[in-house]
Structure formats: structure tokens, C-alpha cells
Amino acid sequence: MNRRAWILFALVAVLWGIPYLLIKIAIDDLSPMVVVAGRVAIAAAMLVPVAAVQGTLSALRRHLGAVVFLGVVHIVGPFLLITYGEQHISSSLTGLLIAIEPVLIALLMVRAEPLTPVRIAGLALGLVGVGVLVGLDVSGDRWGLLGAGMILLATLLYAVATVFVQRRASDIPPTALVAGTTTVSTVLLAPFAAFALPAAPVSGGAWASLVALGLLCTAAALLAFYRLIGEAGPSRAGLVTYANPVVAVLLGVAILDEPLRVSTVFGFLLIVAGCWLSTRPSTPAPAPAVDTPAAAH
């Protein structure tokens, strides 16, 4: 990756490492539906004017289907699943489970990047790591298992969206793409959020967390991530999940007093090793040394 890609990588790692903490704070006083609808509405309110000033909104006309699809698959679905899932598991575990995304991307791109024995071993390691996290951290807890299942389904949707952006939406200006997807998400979620507004007073911390989720973890993070996909491709962009779980765990332990178990560290290391192996590029076989025009070409 070039220097610009590394800067984007670091930015996304931080911005996507803090939302799990902010979600935990926000859902103390706000319903998950209001949290998700609020964060995407704030992001849309910030990005639509920016895209309009840049003159990029017109690019969405040719890609309305892609924008609606990404709004559902990359925002509405994952955001709801993660926010509801965090009602049952810790923010640390949430961040760690999402680290499996590169493995899922590798599975989705198996036709374009055939599996080698090393990559297959990596996929297996990553899945074992998920098993360790889920089996030891939430074993016997039905609600915890439900929460973990929601997070894993959200991660699958993230992987689908990452591949889709690279294949079908890479030519859409990132500002317009994020403005479009957050606007679509706001329209879809607003009617449901209207029936879930808080009846009791909401703390300043919850409101501040919601604003930060919208401005930083949604608008800025999605914009940077789409640019990262364009710079480095979906497989390398998905590797950002190596870093943001570390941020999530550190914040969860330091601020929310969440436990840090040996099984948690072990499971995360297995996932990281699996992601690294499963995303290694396939080594093409050397071309035969035949002195023909095709071989020379």
C-alpha cells in the first residue's frame, strides 16, 4: 500500500475502533433503533451538502440501485445488528468478532483469488478463533450467543458490501456514495425510530456519543473506508479489522471495566493469524519456457 493508503488505514482503524464504546454508552438511554437512525441522519446531514458543493451528487443517478443496496447491506443491516447485539455482549467482544471480516472477504472472492493450502489453513484458523471467542466468552449464555450471532451476521454483511464497492461502485465519488447511502438509510429507518423515541430524560453522555457516532464513526469513517478500498482493494482494506479490535478492547477495558480474559486474547490471535494467511495472494505458477510469440508476449 502507498502512503496515502496507510494514512487512510490508520484513520479508519481508529474511527471504527471507538464506535463499540460509544454504542454502549448511547444505548443506556436510547433505543438501538434511535441510535442507528440518529447516527446515519447526522452523517447524511453533514455529507449531502459537502457532496452538493463538490458537484458529485449527479453521479448517483446512474447508480441508484447500487446506492440503495449499499445503504441496506453496509449501513442499515450491520448497524442494527451490532447495536442490538451489544445489548447482550461486551463492546470488546463485539470488536473482536468483527475482526473475522477479512476471512469472509476471502471466501467471497474465492473465484477471483483461488484458495491455496495456506489460505485454506488461514480460513480454518480464523473460524477456530471465532469458535474460541464465542464458545468460551459467552458459553451457556443464550442471550450472549444471540448477540454474538448478530455481530457475526453484521460482519458478513460488511464483507459483502466491501466486495460490492470494489466491483460495482468504485467509480462513484466517495463523498457522493456515502451521502447517498446514509440518506437512503435515514429514509428507511426514520419511520421506525419515530416510534422508539425516549420517554425519559437522556444524559448528555448519550447525546454526545450519538453525535460522535454520526460525525466521526459513520460519515468520516465510511468516506475514508471507501477511499481506502479504491486505493488498496477490498482484501487489503478489510485488513483494517486487525487494528480496530485492539482500539475497541483497550477502550472497553479502560473505560467500561470490561474483563480481558486469556481466551479473549487467544481467540483474537487465532483470528489475526487466520486473516493474515487467508488474504495472502496466490502465487501464480511460472510460465513454461517455450519460445513462441505467445510465451514471449
Side-chain angles (χ1 to χ4, degrees):
M1 294 194 297
N2 57 32
R3 182 179 179 183
R4 182 178 180 180
W6 278 115
I7 293 173
L8 289 169
F9 183 92
L11 178 62
V12 175
V14 173
L15 292 178
W16 277 355
I18 61 177
Y20 314 113
L21 167 68
L22 297 176
I23 289 170
K24 271 292 187 185
I25 296 173
I27 60 177
D28 279 342
D29 294 331
L30 298 168
S31 71
M33 182 62 70
V34 169
V35 171
V36 175
R39 69 182 288 192
V40 297
I42 291 170
M46 185 183 82
L47 287 167
V48 169
V50 173
V53 169
Q54 292 180 350
T56 59
L57 286 178
S58 60
L60 298 179
R61 296 174 186 172
R62 303 186 304 275
H63 304 280
L64 288 178
V67 172
V68 172
F69 179 82
L70 282 173
V72 174
V73 175
H74 205 195
I75 297 180
V76 174
F79 283 16
L80 286 174
L81 287 166
I82 290 171
T83 307
Y84 278 103
E86 276 204 58
Q87 291 185 312
H88 308 299
I89 64 175
S90 68
S91 66
S92 303
L93 181 56
T94 299
L96 293 174
L97 288 175
I98 290 177
I100 197 66
E101 183 183 347
V103 170
L104 300 179
I105 291 174
L107 284 172
L108 292 173
M109 297 188 68
V110 67
R111 290 186 178 181
E113 299 179 10
L115 294 178
T116 62
V118 171
R119 296 187 72 205
I120 292 173
L123 293 173
L125 270 181
L127 295 175
V128 169
V130 170
V132 169
L133 287 176
V134 174
L136 297 181
D137 280 33
V138 297
S139 179
D141 180 357
R142 288 184 299 174
W143 288 110
L145 289 172
L146 175 63
M150 288 181 175
I151 304 305
L152 290 172
L153 180 55
T155 307
L156 176 59
L157 293 179
Y158 277 149
V160 170
T162 299
V163 175
F164 184 86
V165 168
Q166 193 267 345
R167 291 179 175 175
R168 302 287 183 87
S170 59
D171 59 333
I172 305 175
T175 306
L177 183 57
V178 181
T181 54
T182 53
T183 299
V184 166
S185 301
T186 301
V187 172
L188 292 175
L189 292 168
F192 300 97
F195 291 98
L197 295 175
V202 178
S203 68
W207 287 125
S209 296
L210 182 59
V211 172
L213 281 167
L215 293 179
L216 300 178
C217 304
T218 306
L222 282 173
L223 182 59
F225 185 63
Y226 288 155
R227 288 187 182 275
L228 178 60
I229 292 174
E231 289 283 337
S235 293
R236 290 188 177 88
L239 296 180
V240 73
T241 53
Y242 284 172
N244 50 359
V246 177
V247 177
V249 170
L250 292 176
L251 291 174
V253 172
I255 298 177
L256 299 177
D257 294 324
E258 294 177 349
L260 182 60
R261 302 183 180 91
V262 174
S263 61
T264 303
V265 176
F266 181 58
F268 175 60
L269 291 177
L270 285 175
I271 289 176
V272 169
C275 290
W276 181 74
L277 291 173
S278 65
T279 53
R280 292 185 66 182
S282 303
T283 303
V290 179
D291 189 17
T292 66
H297 177 73

